[in-house]
Amino acid sequence: MRPAFNLRALSVAELTKRVVGMREVDPRLLRALGRDPRQGVRRLAARLRASEARAAGEAARLEGLFAVEREHQAHGFAVIAGVDEVGVAPLAGPVVAAAVVLPAGISLPHLDDSKRLTPEQRDALYPQITACAAASIGMATVEEIDRLDILQATRLAHRRAILGLSVRPHLVLIDGRFAADVPVPQLVIVDGDATCASIAAASVVAKVTRDRMMAVLGREFPQYGFGRHKGYGTKQHLEAIRRYGVTPMHRRSFFSVRAYQESLALMTP
């Protein structure tokens, strides 16, 4: 097939505008661009090949993300929920877990572990996931974290997220090392948020939910900067604790917060 336009009659800029605007570049056109005597056109062909290679790699990565779900659905587990949490390490705020059941055939470009995504990518994925998937949030409060310890509070958040689903899962896939306290078959996957689609989706939902909560707390306690550091022990956050003390949102059982309280007591006349 000959190209739909005369390559030689077009400048490099005109060719670039036409070809880059195409949804899909015919391989024969790409070969013709690569044989063009003009160096700029050949560079355009190289860019297009690199772009196609990146797109193919991303498509393969996304296909691989669903491998765990496909394998277990083939063994009769039709409804599979992915579970992940965010907020284990911060000095303030709740721990938030999400459980997500993705529908069959869903397309979620750029889906990945929330830690690998930009805030803009997470914000774009969040409504796509929640619009078509069964999703549930479970939280453990600061008071529960201090009373139970962070591990048990995290498991409590997992349990609440799973039990809050509108559908009962046949199998639960959990990121990390610990099973949830629910009477449902489970598979615990280390780094599951980077290797399993439903867990990755849960990581995005949990992250966006908690970040928005911390932004609200940031307006309530503006001197602490919760909206920026999300409660993690940054230099700015520790300095704010030193200057202003702790809020009801701080985890008093955590070493950094407890050490600060003890130092205050020692300085009291």
Side-chain angles (χ1 to χ4, degrees), residues 215-237:
V216 172
L217 287 178
R219 294 190 289 272
E220 186 176 349
F221 303 98
Q223 64 270 44
Y224 290 88
F226 288 138
R228 291 187 294 276
H229 54 65
K230 310 300 186 291
Y232 285 85
T234 64
K235 181 178 179 180
Q236 175 202 18
H237 188 186

Side-chain angles (χ1 to χ4, degrees), residues 26-92:
D26 189 285
R28 288 163 290 189
L29 173 58
L30 192 56
R31 287 195 294 271
L33 292 171
R35 291 193 298 264
D36 194 284
R38 291 167 291 179
Q39 186 178 24
V41 178
R42 295 197 301 275
R43 282 200 297 263
L44 172 61
R47 283 168 45 202
L48 291 171
R49 290 193 187 96
S51 178
E52 287 188 346
R54 288 193 298 271
E58 174 65 2
R61 184 190 68 82
L62 289 172
E63 178 72 13
L65 269 183
F66 287 88
V68 174
E69 283 90 345
R70 286 196 303 270
E71 176 186 353
H72 288 84
Q73 284 165 347
H75 287 86
F77 296 99
V79 180
I80 298 176
V83 177
D84 197 13
E85 83 290 323
V86 65
V88 171
L91 307 181

